[in-house]
Amino acid sequence: MFLLPLAMAAQVVTTSPDKALQIAISEDGRTFSVTRRSEPLIIDSPLGLDLAEGADLSALKLKKVERGTVDRTLPLVATKAAKARDHYSFARLKFETTDAARTPLEIEVRAYDDGVAFRYLLRDTPVKLRAEKTQFRFSADVSCFVSEYTSSHENTWTKLKVSQLDAAKTYDIPALCTSAKGHTALTLAQSGIAGYTSSGLVPDGQGFRVRLSPRPDDAS
């Protein structure tokens, strides 16, 4: 692990070990994009959290970028293989708000040879989360296999173009889509949500926006 001085570039780019996949985060923390072998998969898609109790995370200033690589072997349980390789490049983007008294935010990014991931980190700061601003926008009217969101997460799958999705419905995670050129199949998924809410996907123009599942005891 090592630290890099803050650059004035418009984006912070993290590249997979095999150099095929890239995920880029804007230096103001507002958008991200993903490419594979120079083909855009996700374009200029919003990032962010909507907090219920006053803290404004929309005006962010990038203070530091921490980069590194991980290459380790993980044991597997109840599988045909006994182990798996965990190999990725990462970046941790540390932001502060324009009002230094407000909640700082980190975005952690990983780029594997077969996928990318990101998460928001609010360290040691209890917050009440109203919503995410996260969206996944595609460069074209791509086709996706989707199922409608139900509490059982057991529903039929349908192949639809993004333009055919019902904006009044929430679709379950994962959703499996094909890139505009047809060279890449990509799955929108979630993981590592211990202590966090589950979510669904709502059609929004060129793609999906994340809809968080509310607490059963929250009437707001």
Side-chain angles (χ1 to χ4, degrees):
M1 183 187 302
F2 56 94
L3 298 181
L4 294 180
L6 179 62
M8 296 305 293
Q11 294 181 319
V12 177
V13 179
T14 305
T15 303
S16 61
D18 68 356
K19 311 302 181 186
L21 270 167
Q22 290 188 327
I23 178 169
I25 308 290
S26 63
E27 65 177 6
D28 60 5
R30 293 187 178 184
T31 61
F32 79 105
S33 60
V34 180
T35 59
R36 180 176 182 267
R37 303 191 190 283
S38 300
E39 180 187 9
L41 303 181
I42 304 295
I43 60 168
D44 297 330
S45 297
L47 289 170
L49 299 175
D50 183 5
L51 304 184
E53 297 175 348
D56 181 6
L57 296 180
S58 63
L60 298 175
K61 181 178 180 181
L62 183 60
K63 296 297 292 182
K64 184 167 60 176
V65 179
E66 180 181 294
R67 292 187 182 273
T69 59
V70 171
D71 191 357
R72 60 183 177 175
T73 299
L74 299 176
L76 301 179
V77 179
T79 62
K80 292 182 178 180
K83 58 186 179 180
R85 187 184 185 189
D86 188 30
H87 188 202
Y88 59 90
S89 305
F90 72 84
R92 294 191 186 102
L93 289 69
K94 300 186 177 184
F95 298 92
E96 66 177 19
T97 58
T98 52
D99 181 348
R102 292 185 175 177
T103 306
L105 174 70
E106 297 180 23
I107 299 178
E108 180 179 345
V109 177
R110 295 183 181 184
Y112 298 80
D113 290 347
D114 56 359
V116 298
F118 64 86
R119 63 177 176 172
Y120 306 104
L121 297 171
L122 294 167
R123 297 187 185 277
D124 304 320
T125 308
V127 296
K128 184 176 181 181
L129 185 62
R130 181 186 293 115
E132 280 195 25
K133 301 176 182 178
T134 311
Q135 294 186 30
F136 301 93
R137 293 178 176 172
F138 304 106
S139 61
D141 189 15
V142 303
S143 294
C144 299
F145 282 98
V146 294
S147 62
E148 293 183 25
Y149 185 96
T150 60
S151 59
S152 67
H153 304 288
E154 296 179 357
N155 219 330
T156 57
W157 291 78
T158 307
K159 185 178 182 180
L160 297 170
K161 288 186 174 294
V162 169
S163 60
Q164 296 174 316
L165 297 169
D166 188 339
K169 294 179 178 179
T170 300
Y171 294 90
D172 214 344
I173 294 175
L176 175 62
C177 305
T178 304
S179 66
K181 294 182 179 180
H183 297 162
T184 301
L186 60 148
T187 301
L188 306 181
Q190 60 183 358
S191 65
I193 57 171
Y196 198 72
T197 181
S198 64
S199 57
L201 299 169
V202 177
D204 193 323
Q206 290 178 264
F208 299 98
R209 60 179 172 85
V210 172
R211 179 184 181 273
L212 300 183
S213 301
R215 285 171 52 124
D217 59 352
D218 189 348
S220 60

